[in-house]
Amino acid sequence: MEYVDAKGRLIKITDQDSDIEAYYQDKRIGSIEFDLEEQEQGTITYLWYMYVDADYQMAGIATEMMKLAVEIHGKDFRRPRFCDVGGSDVPSHKYYTQDGAALIWKCINMGILDHNG
């Protein structure tokens, strides 16, 4: 899909092997990566990594990438499986960086994501 960001740049957002990537003039400027785990009850999707180059942040690109991620994986991602930061009982919004948590909360408030703690 193509998206014109808040600064008027034409951004191309694609899905690559279950991950989402953002490009500007053929340069990768962002990604959201997932880890998929097959279980008896179905596939569980873990949000593994989020990144947008500093020169492109605060322009709505991550939000648009998250919208495409939801189209592919649904609204209920889980945080990464490892428990190195705070243990398994820490809510997802406390696990990510400040910017990542802000993106997650924005997407929850906009109805893009479900709040799964």
Side-chain angles (χ1 to χ4, degrees):
M1 71 182 267
E2 292 186 339
Y3 163 72
V4 177
D5 74 0
K7 297 182 180 179
R9 298 173 291 209
L10 183 61
I11 307 297
K12 183 177 179 185
I13 299 175
T14 65
D15 62 297
Q16 301 288 328
D17 299 323
S18 79
D19 297 332
I20 308 302
E21 296 180 342
Y23 293 87
Y24 178 64
Q25 297 180 342
D26 295 326
K27 173 187 173 192
R28 190 172 95 164
I29 58 164
S31 65
I32 300 177
E33 298 176 12
F34 296 91
D35 187 17
L36 306 178
E37 181 179 289
E38 296 294 330
Q39 294 188 351
E40 285 183 24
Q41 64 271 29
T43 302
I44 296 177
T45 303
Y46 295 94
L47 177 57
W48 179 254
Y49 177 79
M50 300 181 291
Y51 173 79
V52 174
D53 186 289
D55 293 337
Y56 298 87
Q57 293 178 3
M58 306 305 291
I61 297 166
T63 303
E64 290 299 314
M65 287 194 305
M66 195 62 77
K67 287 178 183 178
L68 181 56
V70 166
E71 286 182 31
I72 295 167
H73 299 294
K75 287 185 167 191
D76 191 23
F77 314 139
R78 296 186 184 184
R79 69 175 183 266
R81 286 180 288 170
F82 52 84
C83 298
D84 294 340
V85 182
S88 61
D89 295 327
V90 174
S92 294
H93 68 278
K94 292 184 179 177
Y95 179 87
Y96 299 106
T97 65
Q98 185 175 0
D99 289 340
L103 172 63
I104 289 168
W105 276 114
K106 177 181 178 181
C107 289
I108 289 169
N109 291 332
M110 293 177 70
I112 297 167
L113 292 176
D114 288 337
H115 185 273
N116 65 357

